[in-house]
Amino acid sequence: MSSKEYHTYTKTELINIFDECLNKTLGDVDKNNVFDRTKINPKITGIAGDVIEQSVLGYPSDNRQAPDLNVDGEDVELKTTGIRFSKTDNNQFEAKEPMSITAVSPDKIVHEEFEDSNFWHKVKKMLLVYYLYLAEHTVPASEYANFPVVGYEFHEFSKDEQKALQRDWQIVHDFIRFLQETYDDYEKEYPRISSELRPKLFLLDTAPKWPNHPRFRLKRSFVTSIVQTYFNEHSELEQLPESYTSYADIDKKCRELTKRFGGKTVAELLLDLGVNHHATNKSIGERVAVRMFGGKNIKIGKIQIFREAGIIGKTITITKGGSRTEDMKLFPIDFNELLDPEVEFDNSSFADFFFNHQLLCIIFEEPTSNSKIEENIFVGFKRYAFSDDFINEKVRPVWNSIRKTIFENRLIDVIRLDKDGHPRINKNGQVSSAPNFPKSKDGPVFVRGGGKDSAEKPEEINGVSMYRQYIWLSGKFITTELQKLQLL
């Protein structure tokens, strides 16, 4: 048998092989006609990986939990990963989806140590092959033949990333062992693996949910960080002076910062932290928080570890009575995805925001209703994760409502009225209007348009022009939720 039949290569061989693939489409490199299978099964999954394995490297796919390749005597896992252009991040590359690694096998994992686990064997050394998903919607498997191979890398995680992955794996391991030791019929408790552990996992998630056997996955936000680092798109992201490998690390730092800075006004914080005294706009709370952590950027989203873990900074200003009225903007709607009939809610980036992102709330209290921003007092931090119940009962219906309104051709542009029933007029003299998507009166998750120029409506759906549409969260809802949490 040849070395290729044993999946054994030298690194030089693989470099030569994949250098030849760069900027060629998956169809171009499919010398063994793997795409022929799509004629019979147009929805076959994993076709890109099959092409790389079977046509580029010349060996058949398998479902072993062991790494795919032996490279210069070391095990290496091969992962073919789709990337796409981000619509919210300066058109940089982002991961198309989370990266599935290996099965969460309850009867096996409890007998493993991390260093000897199937998971670590799979991710310790990887060969990542990137193809560019150029379609706006889900396409048949045959059309993957048009997607180019745009890069590859031999990837190893940094020491901090290894530690974070180990801590995440250990959380899953210990929880499964707890279930097995606590309950006689412990398999009935396995659905809790994904739902209860999700808020605790830093770089990993597990999906799907039991009774479908879950798999360890690298979060989409983490894969995006890997992708952007490879393509040198992380130059604007900042490394903090201290390392953080779990939410517990971040919580601990938040407690230290609250003890040190709690009770100070914004003006005092600006002076203590050396922040521009004139930068007292609504985003100043986030800028102050970054400085507290030792960073120099103006947004938490520009800090690499926070980006990898899906942590989003939000400033919360409350009254002395603990109330707050301002709603919270979350993310712009990707209508190409939302209107793709092949995309299910659970697999959408819409749902991924709520499943795999957490809010690091920087809380200030205003002394009076007439206080200036610089007079607000820093209270502390709270970290908020969206529950499965909230996602299923409040977020999923919004996704379904938007789709139904458009698919059933019921989308209209509604003129907004003032309290006297007259049309509202924008500053530019135009009548104010908005599409009939879910509003704040309908629930805690709703749609609101926005833009720098009220005369421009760049989105058009079913002939209805509109501003860029965003998902928002009710200020009253998040205030009520945060009241249930202790300060970090």
Side-chain angles (χ1 to χ4, degrees):
M1 289 186 178
S2 69
S3 64
K4 290 182 180 180
E5 289 180 278
Y6 283 105
H7 307 190
T8 300
Y9 301 85
T10 66
K11 187 173 183 179
T12 300
E13 274 186 288
L14 292 172
I15 289 172
N16 291 334
I17 289 171
F18 285 106
D19 277 351
E20 286 294 314
C21 294
L22 290 179
N23 301 316
K24 294 180 181 178
T25 67
L26 290 169
D28 292 336
V29 301
D30 184 22
K31 63 183 180 182
N32 288 336
N33 302 315
V34 176
F35 275 107
D36 285 352
R37 293 161 49 203
T38 66
K39 298 175 183 177
I40 300 173
N41 188 351
K43 293 187 177 182
I44 191 171
T45 59
I47 190 66
D50 289 345
V51 169
I52 297 300
E53 290 177 347
Q54 297 173 34
S55 280
V56 175
L57 295 180
Y59 65 82
S61 297
D62 60 54
N63 295 318
R64 298 180 309 151
Q65 286 195 306
D68 300 293
L69 309 175
N70 184 286
V71 182
D72 293 333
E74 293 187 305
D75 288 338
V76 174
E77 174 73 359
L78 173 68
K79 285 292 179 185
T80 303
T81 301
I83 63 176
R84 62 187 181 190
F85 290 112
S86 171
K87 296 181 180 180
T88 60
D89 202 9
N90 298 321
N91 219 29
Q92 295 180 342
F93 289 132
E94 65 179 12
K96 180 176 176 288
E97 56 198 2
M99 184 183 292
S100 178
I101 302 299
T102 192
V104 179
S105 303
D107 292 337
K108 293 182 180 179
I109 193 173
V110 292
H111 302 295
E112 293 179 328
E113 298 294 332
F114 177 75
E115 295 286 347
D116 299 317
S117 67
N118 286 325
F119 171 80
W120 181 238
H121 286 162
K122 282 275 194 175
V123 301
K124 186 176 182 180
K125 294 180 183 292
M126 294 195 292
L127 171 56
L128 304 179
V129 180
Y130 302 116
Y131 69 90
L132 184 57
Y133 190 90
L134 288 172
E136 294 285 358
H137 297 281
T138 303
V139 297
S142 59
E143 293 192 26
Y144 276 64
N146 301 320
F147 299 155
V149 177
V150 292
Y152 70 94
E153 64 169 312
F154 292 89
H155 185 81
E156 293 185 44
F157 295 107
S158 69
K159 290 184 178 179
D160 282 346
E161 289 168 341
Q162 290 179 31
K163 186 175 180 180
L165 292 171
Q166 180 170 358
R167 293 177 79 164
D168 280 355
W169 180 91
Q170 197 69 46
I171 287 171
V172 177
H173 169 279
D174 292 351
F175 186 70
I176 292 174
R177 175 172 286 179
F178 162 77
L179 295 178
Q180 292 183 358
E181 293 177 348
T182 305
Y183 299 92
D184 292 332
D185 194 0
Y186 50 79
E187 287 194 8
K188 285 187 176 181
E189 306 297 322
Y190 284 168
R192 297 167 57 187
I193 295 172
S194 295
S195 58
E196 289 190 28
L197 298 187
R198 177 173 58 80
K200 302 176 182 179
L201 300 180
F202 199 58
L203 300 181
L204 297 180
D205 70 7
T206 61
K209 294 180 181 178
W210 204 271
N212 300 307
H213 287 245
R215 297 178 63 81
F216 282 111
R217 306 190 307 180
L218 305 186
K219 286 183 181 180
R220 182 168 172 262
S221 57
F222 184 35
V223 182
T224 292
S225 178
I226 294 170
V227 169
Q228 292 182 347
T229 298
Y230 170 74
F231 287 100
N232 198 28
E233 295 180 336
H234 255 173
S235 56
E236 84 284 6
L237 294 187
E238 185 178 359
Q239 301 280 354
L240 293 176
E242 298 180 38
S243 66
Y244 302 92
T245 60
S246 68
Y247 289 122
D249 286 348
I250 291 174
D251 291 351
K252 180 181 178 182
K253 184 64 176 180
C254 286
R255 284 190 287 271
E256 293 173 3
L257 296 175
T258 298
K259 185 175 181 180
R260 178 179 173 188
F261 295 106
K264 293 193 174 186
T265 65
V266 169
E268 290 171 331
L269 291 172
L270 294 177
L271 186 62
D272 288 353
L273 297 167
V275 181
N276 183 350
H277 285 48
H278 301 291
T280 51
N281 53 32
K282 289 184 178 181
S283 65
I284 192 62
E286 196 171 351
R287 180 179 297 190
V288 164
V290 171
R291 285 296 179 93
M292 288 182 186
F293 274 91
K296 297 180 180 179
N297 226 304
I298 63 174
K299 284 188 171 292
I300 281 177
K302 295 294 185 181
I303 304 300
Q304 183 164 345
I305 187 60
F306 290 157
R307 179 80 67 89
E308 289 178 350
I311 296 173
I312 297 170
K314 290 292 182 181
T315 301
I316 308 286
T317 303
I318 59 176
T319 66
K320 275 191 170 295
S323 63
R324 176 183 180 274
T325 56
E326 282 195 359
D327 298 321
M328 182 185 292
K329 183 193 286 188
L330 297 183
F331 60 90
I333 297 175
D334 180 355
F335 280 104
N336 286 320
E337 176 192 70
L338 193 138
L339 298 181
D340 186 342
E342 297 296 322
V343 176
E344 297 179 353
F345 173 75
D346 288 331
N347 298 324
S348 67
S349 59
F350 192 107
D352 181 76
F353 178 93
F354 294 94
F355 278 121
N356 287 316
H357 289 80
Q358 298 192 20
L359 306 180
L360 182 61
C361 298
I362 309 124
I363 302 173
F364 291 85
E365 181 183 281
E366 56 183 19
T368 69
S369 59
N370 298 320
S371 298
K372 296 179 180 179
I373 291 176
E374 55 264 40
E375 295 175 325
N376 291 344
I377 300 168
F378 175 60
V379 177
F381 297 91
K382 292 186 179 182
R383 180 169 56 84
Y384 182 76
F386 299 98
S387 69
D388 281 17
D389 286 344
F390 174 81
I391 295 170
N392 287 321
E393 295 171 9
K394 303 300 181 183
V395 180
R396 189 187 299 269
V398 171
W399 160 276
N400 289 334
S401 175
I402 298 172
R403 283 162 65 99
K404 189 174 182 180
T405 297
I406 297 173
F407 289 157
E408 296 182 358
N409 205 28
R410 293 188 289 106
L411 179 65
I412 58 174
D413 193 29
V414 181
I415 293 176
R416 302 176 65 197
L417 305 177
D418 61 23
K419 62 181 179 179
D420 298 319
H422 301 132
R424 292 185 182 180
I425 306 300
N426 291 327
K427 292 180 180 179
N428 62 1
Q430 293 186 342
V431 175
S432 177
S433 63
N436 57 328
F437 294 139
K439 300 291 189 289
S440 57
K441 64 181 177 61
D442 302 316
V445 180
F446 59 94
V447 180
R448 182 183 293 168
K452 294 181 179 179
D453 186 346
S454 62
E456 293 186 8
K457 294 187 174 183
E459 296 273 14
E460 183 174 328
I461 300 172
N462 290 4
V464 177
S465 297
M466 63 188 75
Y467 305 126
R468 189 81 186 271
Q469 300 295 302
Y470 294 83
I471 295 297
W472 286 69
L473 187 65
S474 158
K476 181 178 180 181
F477 168 82
I478 192 62
T479 300
T480 301
E481 288 294 287
L482 291 177
Q483 286 173 347
K484 301 174 186 176
L485 302 177
Q486 296 292 323
L487 283 171
L488 295 175

